[in-house]
Amino acid sequence: MDNWKFKKWKEEGWTYQDIDAYIGMEIYPEDIEIFSTILLPNIIVYKDRIFIYDNIFKDESDAKKSIDSLILSFGLDDAEKLINRVRIPELFINNIDNTEPSTRMNIAKLIKHNWEYHLLKKFPNKDFTVEITGGKFDPEVVFYQKNQV
C-alpha cells in the first residue's frame, strides 16, 4: 500500500507490519462507523427523485424545505446534483493537506462504489449515474437519476 501514514507506522519498527495489524492498533471502530454514514447515506424520495438526507436537517420536513429552496434557485436537475455530492477536500477539511492525490482519488472511488451498490439495492428499478468529477486534487462524487437529467 502506497500510503504515507502506513509507511511511517511500519518504519517505527512494529513487530507486525501488515495492514491488519495497523488497523487493529491505529483505527478506531467508531471512526469506521462514522464514515459509514458517507458510504451508506440516509436517503429520502421527494418529487420522484432520490436525495441524500443527512444530519444537517432537523427532520424530513426541514430537508424538503431546503430541497424546494434549491429547486427554486437552480432547477430540479441541478438541485439533485448539488445535494447528492461529497467533495473529498471538504469531507476531510482539517486533515487533507498531507494527503496524496492518489489517496483522495481512492477515497472517491470507494464512495462511488458504495453509492452504486447502495442505490442499486435500495432502488433496483431506478437508473443512476454515479461519477467522480473535479480532478485528482479536488475529487467529488455525485449521483443523479439517469432517466431524469
Side-chain angles (χ1 to χ4, degrees), residues 52-71:
I52 292 176
Y53 167 68
D54 58 24
N55 295 328
I56 293 172
F57 307 112
K58 291 182 287 193
D59 54 33
E60 222 173 276
S61 174
D62 184 47
K64 291 175 180 178
K65 287 177 191 172
S66 295
I67 292 167
D68 285 336
S69 176
L70 285 171
I71 290 170

Side-chain angles (χ1 to χ4, degrees), residues 39-118:
L39 298 176
L40 305 168
N42 292 321
I43 292 174
I44 62 168
V45 179
Y46 184 57
K47 298 193 182 235
D48 200 36
R49 300 288 177 101
I50 309 305
F51 295 97
I52 292 176
Y53 167 68
D54 58 24
N55 295 328
I56 293 172
F57 307 112
K58 291 182 287 193
D59 54 33
E60 222 173 276
S61 174
D62 184 47
K64 291 175 180 178
K65 287 177 191 172
S66 295
I67 292 167
D68 285 336
S69 176
L70 285 171
I71 290 170
L72 282 174
S73 297
F74 301 102
L76 183 57
D77 294 341
D78 288 338
E80 182 181 25
K81 290 179 180 179
L82 287 169
I83 293 169
N84 297 335
R85 73 175 50 237
V86 63
R87 290 187 63 235
I88 303 307
E90 288 178 5
L91 186 61
F92 297 99
I93 194 164
N94 202 40
N95 299 310
I96 198 76
D97 292 341
N98 294 329
T99 302
E100 293 291 328
S102 61
T103 298
R104 295 174 190 209
M105 284 303 291
N106 286 337
I107 293 168
K109 289 174 185 175
L110 174 67
I111 293 169
K112 178 182 183 287
H113 176 79
N114 275 271
W115 282 6
E116 288 168 338
Y117 183 75
H118 186 58

